[in-house]
Amino acid sequence: MISADWTGKQVALITDEQGHWRGAIPVPKATPGDFKTHTLIVTENGNAITFSNLQIGEVWLASGQSNMQFGIKGSPGKDNGVIDYEKVIAEANYPNIRWLYVDLNFKAQPYDQVTGKWVVCSPETVGHFSGVAYFYARSLYQHLNIPVGIILSTIGASTGQAWTSRTEMESDTILFNKYLKPYDDSPKSKEVINAGFSFEKVTRPMLLYNAMIHPLTGFSIKGFIWYQGEFNHSDKWRYTLLEEHMIKGWRDDFAQGDLPFYFVQMPSYFWNNNDPKADDYAVFREAQANIRNKVKNTGMAVTLDDNVPRLLHPRNKKPVGERLARIALNKTYKIKGIDYLGPQYKKMKVSGNKVDISYKSETLGGGLVTRDTLAPRQFFVAGDDKVFHSATAAIEGDHITLQSDSVANPIAVRFAFTNMAVINLFNKAGLPAEPFRTDDWEEQPKDNKIKLDYKKLNEGK
């Protein structure tokens, strides 16, 4: 039997032959200002287990790789931890924010058990919590005034296919041939899988899904936040397809409708290529942005304003978590007056050697500005030769005007469409402009066979 103090009733349970059971108890809607603690009791043959200090609120699942896992606390004298982590930790007295870290595990088949412990947010406990997820939860709590729970299921260096089910990858020929068949045909698929970490194992298809997503599907959750892509960056447009199927599989498994899925677009990074015009990572960001066009009830946080393109793990996690929260507060919780979109390209108009760029009205957030009061950066124009040249940009009302002495007859524009682009163009709501390109020119062949040293990438070398 299971019973909860808010119902006054007991629910009978029947176990299967393996002793597994599942029960459902109706839970009232979270009420602003209600932080009462509750008790739930599970009874079998006169033996009772009591769960206390429970709250009724909103639960979100946060997943991805190292930038989602990136903890708040840093080490003195080192460039790790979130910016101003000492102050952040000291102020983290939020007993109505709780989180559950899912222990790392790998399984060859979908698994039904997970280990972890719910923790109450305090200065003593918050140091090891995800920076992005903490700032996300804190923003929700401050706006909604209800308890917020985060289930954190992450591991660094993991790939999107590692978090995607076999069923979904088998359902698409492209995904099957790219990710699943090579693994099935390799000796690694015949190995005995254990919970031990290796940088290689977290890239294998479906193992993390089986062990760290599938066993969570009994939870009632509000939605997902996702920060992953670094180790799929060479997939480019194939990543859109992969994410479509990953999201579909998660939503099907949780069986709670088209749950919100809000994700982070990759920040600037050089990927061992110092060419300022290199754009393979920009193409990957474009593939990320396209997820919104392919999958409903999704949203993307832009991060190209971070100014450390040689760090795989930027420390400034506060705006990332808060931008994800803006999306949720606007789209999921329908709170008016909270902008969540930075300036998005609408159209271009050419007059002689000048180009006028206009933006979607709903993304202007009060108007265009630059964060440093200088002219907008990272605009490029090209003519018939398809060679892009840096353009002088100026804000004129809600438009950007561009001009380059090197291009007499511009036909295409790109904004922040390079690997290491760092932007200064925002709207007055404080949200950065999205990268874009107006052309659909075929990409030049890229050499994606570079072997990457993860430790050197982590150190920005």
Side-chain angles (χ1 to χ4, degrees), residues 25 48 118 172 176 196 198 231 298 305 329 336 379 381 405 411 430 457:
I25 291 182
W118 281 101
D172 183 273
F176 176 77
S198 75
F231 274 43
T298 56
D305 55 310
L329 291 168
K336 296 181 179 179
F379 281 95
V381 296
D405 293 339
I411 63 172
L457 293 174

Side-chain angles (χ1 to χ4, degrees), residues 62-72 79-82 101 128-136 152-159 163 199 225-233 263-269 271 281 284-285 288 301 303 306 308-321 324 454 457-459:
S63 188
Q65 60 180 108
S66 50
N67 270 310
M68 181 63 88
Q69 187 177 11
F70 189 94
I72 291 175
D79 289 334
N80 58 7
V82 303
Y101 257 117
H128 298 292
F129 189 49
S130 157
V132 169
Y134 168 73
F135 289 116
Y136 178 82
L152 197 74
S153 186
T154 68
I155 186 60
S158 55
T159 60
W163 297 99
F199 283 118
I225 56 173
W226 172 252
Y227 194 162
Q228 190 277 334
E230 296 92 334
F231 274 43
N232 284 93
H233 77 277
F263 60 94
V264 180
Q265 189 180 47
M266 292 294 100
S268 301
Y269 190 65
W271 287 110
Y281 208 23
F284 177 78
R285 293 189 200 106
Q288 287 186 294
T303 59
D306 205 307
V308 283
R310 292 184 180 276
L311 284 179
L312 186 62
H313 299 133
R315 298 178 61 205
N316 198 13
K317 300 303 186 190
K318 180 180 177 182
V320 181
L324 287 169
Y454 184 82
L457 293 174
N458 184 31
E459 296 167 355

Side-chain angles (χ1 to χ4, degrees), residues 73-350:
K73 185 178 181 179
S75 302
K78 293 186 178 181
D79 289 334
N80 58 7
V82 303
I83 292 176
D84 295 328
Y85 68 85
E86 299 95 338
K87 184 174 184 290
V88 171
I89 290 173
E91 295 176 347
N93 186 24
Y94 294 101
N96 302 308
I97 296 176
R98 286 99 183 276
W99 61 83
L100 167 67
Y101 257 117
V102 175
D103 289 349
L104 177 64
N105 203 356
F106 303 86
K107 291 293 179 181
Q109 301 294 330
Y111 194 58
D112 290 327
Q113 299 179 41
V114 68
T115 56
K117 180 181 179 181
W118 281 101
V119 177
V120 175
C121 178
S122 72
E124 292 71 36
T125 62
V126 76
H128 298 292
F129 189 49
S130 157
V132 169
Y134 168 73
F135 289 116
Y136 178 82
R138 189 181 73 170
S139 185
L140 291 190
Y141 171 73
Q142 290 172 338
H143 283 87
L144 301 174
N145 196 30
I146 59 175
V148 177
I150 300 289
I151 301 172
L152 197 74
S153 186
T154 68
I155 186 60
S158 55
T159 60
Q161 59 268 27
W163 297 99
T164 304
S165 70
R166 171 177 286 275
T167 299
E168 286 299 321
M169 286 186 283
E170 285 181 337
S171 72
D172 183 273
T173 302
I174 294 174
L175 299 183
F176 176 77
N177 290 332
K178 171 63 178 177
Y179 303 117
L180 203 53
K181 189 175 187 301
Y183 176 67
D184 287 345
D185 292 344
S186 75
K188 294 184 184 302
S189 67
K190 312 302 187 294
E191 294 176 356
V192 176
I193 301 298
N194 57 39
F197 172 84
S198 75
F199 283 118
E200 182 277 327
K201 194 158 63 171
V202 296
T203 69
R204 299 186 194 180
M206 74 196 169
L207 299 189
L208 295 176
Y209 161 81
N210 288 339
M212 297 178 67
I213 296 296
H214 186 268
L216 301 173
T217 55
F219 277 97
S220 295
I221 65 171
K222 194 68 176 182
F224 310 101
I225 56 173
W226 172 252
Y227 194 162
Q228 190 277 334
E230 296 92 334
F231 274 43
N232 284 93
H233 77 277
S234 61
D235 287 354
K236 300 176 184 175
W237 284 104
R238 193 182 292 110
Y239 187 76
T240 309
L241 181 65
L242 176 63
E243 290 297 279
E244 283 185 70
H245 281 270
M246 189 196 81
I247 296 167
K248 178 183 180 298
W250 288 16
R251 287 173 170 174
D252 287 349
D253 287 346
F254 278 84
Q256 295 169 51
D258 293 320
L259 290 169
F261 188 94
Y262 303 139
F263 60 94
V264 180
Q265 189 180 47
M266 292 294 100
S268 301
Y269 190 65
F270 78 131
W271 287 110
N272 289 348
N273 185 350
N274 290 311
D275 180 0
K277 293 185 177 180
D279 63 6
D280 51 313
Y281 208 23
V283 174
F284 177 78
R285 293 189 200 106
E286 192 174 50
Q288 287 186 294
N290 197 43
I291 294 168
R292 299 171 300 178
N293 301 322
K294 299 290 186 178
V295 185
K296 60 185 177 182
N297 205 16
T298 56
M300 183 182 77
V302 176
T303 59
L304 282 184
D305 55 310
D306 205 307
N307 62 357
V308 283
R310 292 184 180 276
L311 284 179
L312 186 62
H313 299 133
R315 298 178 61 205
N316 198 13
K317 300 303 186 190
K318 180 180 177 182
V320 181
E322 290 182 346
R323 287 169 192 173
L324 287 169
R326 280 176 177 255
I327 302 172
L329 291 168
N330 183 295
K331 289 173 62 70
T332 301
Y333 296 104
K334 310 299 181 184
I335 297 180
K336 296 181 179 179
I338 295 182
D339 293 291
Y340 73 98
L341 296 170
Q344 291 181 351
Y345 169 80
K346 181 180 180 182
K347 64 180 180 180
M348 61 178 282
K349 181 180 180 181
V350 178

